[in-house]
Amino acid sequence: MAKTMAVNVGSSSLKFQLLEMPAERVIANGVIERIGMDDAIVTIKYGEQRSAEQLAVHSEDNAHVTHTKNGKKYENILAIKDHQQAINFVLQQLTTLDIIQDFNEITGVGHRVVAGGEWFNHSVVVTDSVLEKIDRLSDYAPLHNPANAMGIRAFQKLLPNALSVAVFDTSFHQTMPKENYLYSLPYQYYTRYGARKYGAHGISHHYVSQRAAVMMNRNLSELKLITLHMGAGVSITAIEDGKSIDTSMGFSPLSGVTMATRSGDVDPSLVYYIQEHEGLSNDDMVNILNKKSGLLGISTISSDMRDLLDVQDTNDHAQLAVKIFVNRIVKYIGQYIAEMGGVDAIIFTAGIGENSIPVRQMIIERLSYFGIELDVEANNVRGQEVEISTAASRVKALLIPTNEELMIAREVESLK
Ligand code: ADP
């Protein structure tokens, strides 16, 4: 059966999942971190379920394979100088580990691309002109688009016969009406520079909205949904008729709610005020807003929600960070309910959404005024697709693990 690779290339990392399509069976997944370093870390998980746990079967230099109850795990630490070498290594390893016999088995490669601007409102087969546009959109996502383009070129070199598809994180939000995507700035900045809201996490919001309709046994076209993607990056989307009509992230992923290290919405004049008083360059300030703010900035101890929840009873800063996080989300939900004139379901996904029982509880309890009621017992789970509101609840609360890789593989399949 044909195999499709779903790829997510970051500035120093490469994540992939290999799926048998159209059966949608995951054959392997993996990650290379610290690309460009002498001690890059490679992890590949593959194989069928095994009963023996942690049984080492092969070990050589830094490389080793262990059997776990979920299959096999290959791990290695080695020097990887760039993305091309990372991709060469992964493909080579897929054959060495007998996951594939021949590169030609991989008939499609879908790449997550962060910024698609107004040019891409759906996934496309990569051509020279598509690649050129992805390059030109690097202004909008300077850390991501160049890496995405590099990944596409590197895979094309090694798998020239595979269909190469770009799946954009912004496409799903291209349905937003102008009154929602435009900032209240002089109009010429929009026409000159495309200064507007593009949103992000579109692949995830799209996936969980489709799953929600299946779980609710309703047509997407008749539903009003609010999807909460709460990972290290957090974004909230209002979805009507299966289409994104508003989202909390903006021109870049910096705006909206409080995130792990990103500030979310801030009065722009405050940014200049702080810069002036602290003598910070533009780059320094952008770095503070992206990397030193959010949960980390407020709590001063950690960007990880788990750490904050662990100490919030004894640490005022941690408690405040959690409160602000929940509060900002509740406010956006209120806005979107007003905007859509109601809501049928609220969906929780990504790291915090899938795993944090108390955060889901805190959010839902603040929303009881419009008839949503938490089923405390049903909510006591992690990472499963499940309804977490009571049967009597007028508005449903759903926990839906996201699956961006599957969505990417489906997009490749639809363009074959
Ligand atoms: P990314 O945006 O990098 O893809 P993830 O979706 O993997 O991030 O989410 C990572 C975040 O999920 C971590 O920063 C952590 O705060 C949060 N997280 C993971 N597990 C838990 C948990 N059990 N409780 C609370 N937060 C969790």
Side-chain angles (χ1 to χ4, degrees):
M1 214 180 278
K3 297 179 179 69
T4 295
M5 189 90 139
V7 179
N8 187 355
V9 177
S11 50
S12 66
S13 70
L14 161 75
K15 290 188 198 141
F16 74 90
Q17 193 171 94
L18 186 67
L19 297 102
E20 207 165 72
M21 295 298 282
E24 301 190 343
R25 191 174 76 84
V26 178
I27 304 165
N29 60 64
V31 55
I32 301 193
E33 294 156 282
R34 302 168 63 85
I35 294 173
M37 316 283 267
D38 286 340
D39 54 351
I41 306 164
V42 184
T43 313
I44 302 175
K45 294 181 186 161
Y46 62 105
E48 300 300 324
Q49 293 218 333
R50 294 284 171 124
S51 52
E53 264 189 289
Q54 300 294 325
L55 169 69
V57 291
H58 173 72
S59 187
E60 184 180 285
D61 300 328
N62 288 325
H64 61 273
V65 174
T66 48
H67 280 185
T68 72
K69 65 176 182 217
N70 296 317
K72 293 180 201 168
K73 185 170 169 187
Y74 166 86
E75 290 169 292
N76 198 353
I77 296 175
L78 74 167
I80 291 191
K81 71 173 190 310
D82 57 22
H83 288 79
Q84 183 72 59
Q85 195 187 344
I87 292 163
N88 289 357
F89 186 78
V90 162
L91 287 174
Q92 208 56 58
Q93 215 49 47
L94 291 179
T95 51
T96 308
L97 295 170
D98 260 348
I99 297 167
I100 56 171
Q101 308 308 314
D102 189 295
F103 286 3
N104 284 327
E105 288 171 37
I106 302 174
T107 54
V109 184
H111 296 267
R112 178 184 183 198
V113 179
V114 166
E118 288 189 326
W119 281 326
F120 300 106
N121 58 10
H122 51 77
S123 306
V124 290
V125 172
V126 177
T127 59
D128 288 348
S129 110
V130 166
L131 255 178
E132 189 213 335
K133 286 188 173 122
I134 293 172
D135 282 334
R136 281 170 61 190
L137 287 163
S138 291
D139 265 4
Y140 292 180
L143 293 179
H144 295 100
N145 269 40
N148 300 152
M150 203 150 41
I152 292 173
R153 291 192 170 96
F155 268 100
Q156 282 181 334
K157 224 176 190 173
L158 285 167
L159 303 175
N161 300 322
L163 187 73
S164 175
V165 171
V167 183
F168 299 90
D169 228 7
T170 48
S171 290
F172 182 59
H173 300 300
Q174 280 296 300
T175 46
M176 283 190 286
K178 205 164 198 170
E179 61 269 29
N180 284 344
Y181 73 66
L182 218 54
Y183 292 109
S184 310
L185 289 168
Y187 196 83
Q188 75 259 25
Y189 299 137
Y190 168 59
T191 44
R192 272 188 214 156
Y193 311 116
R196 52 159 285 180
K197 185 191 265 211
Y198 292 101
H201 294 144
I203 302 166
S204 176
H205 289 293
H206 193 185
Y207 174 80
V208 298
S209 65
Q210 289 181 340
R211 288 303 309 162
V214 173
M215 284 174 78
M216 295 168 79
N217 204 12
R218 303 263 303 269
N219 286 325
L220 252 182
S221 59
E222 62 191 37
L223 289 174
K224 292 173 179 172
L225 304 172
I226 297 176
T227 49
L228 315 183
H229 179 107
M230 307 193 294
V234 184
S235 70
I236 303 183
T237 298
I239 299 173
E240 223 174 334
D241 188 15
K243 299 185 185 87
S244 166
I245 63 141
D246 207 349
T247 195
S248 61
M249 283 180 170
F251 176 72
S252 80
L254 185 52
S255 71
V257 295
T258 304
M259 308 180 214
T261 61
R262 292 191 201 121
S263 63
D265 297 336
V266 174
D267 179 343
S269 60
L270 179 59
V271 173
Y272 292 109
Y273 181 85
I274 292 171
Q275 259 189 281
E276 218 172 276
H277 282 73
E278 293 274 315
L280 297 167
S281 69
N282 291 343
D283 282 352
D284 287 344
M285 194 66 219
V286 168
N287 192 46
I288 289 167
L289 291 167
N290 274 293
K291 304 260 172 69
K292 306 248 162 76
S293 301
L295 294 176
L296 175 65
I298 302 162
S299 73
T300 71
I301 52 172
S302 175
S303 62
D304 193 313
M305 182 57 86
R306 281 167 290 202
D307 299 340
L308 303 183
L309 292 169
D310 282 349
V311 300
Q312 64 165 345
D313 288 342
T314 51
N315 184 307
D316 289 348
H317 278 274
Q319 191 180 75
L320 184 62
V322 174
K323 265 191 183 162
I324 290 177
F325 181 90
V326 169
N327 185 44
R328 298 297 190 271
I329 289 173
V330 167
K331 287 198 226 193
Y332 262 93
I333 293 173
Q335 272 184 53
Y336 290 164
I337 292 173
E339 219 176 326
M340 293 194 288
V343 64
D344 296 298
I346 304 219
I347 294 129
F348 293 83
T349 196
I352 300 174
E354 291 168 27
N355 296 300
S356 184
I357 296 159
V359 169
R360 289 195 302 261
Q361 178 160 0
M362 283 184 266
I363 293 173
I364 293 172
E365 282 177 352
R366 292 275 303 278
L367 301 169
S368 58
Y369 71 92
F370 69 88
I372 188 164
E373 194 180 65
L374 180 73
D375 181 333
V376 176
E377 206 143 294
N379 185 45
N380 198 19
V381 291
R382 294 200 168 92
Q384 289 173 32
E385 212 169 74
V386 62
E387 186 173 325
I388 54 172
S389 46
T390 62
S393 184
R394 262 197 298 124
V395 174
K396 300 284 169 217
L398 306 174
L399 162 53
I400 304 181
T402 195
N403 195 339
E404 288 156 301
E405 295 80 11
L406 177 58
M407 202 67 189
I408 291 171
R410 283 180 182 165
E411 292 292 279
V412 175
E413 203 60 18
S414 75
L415 289 168
K416 269 188 179 165

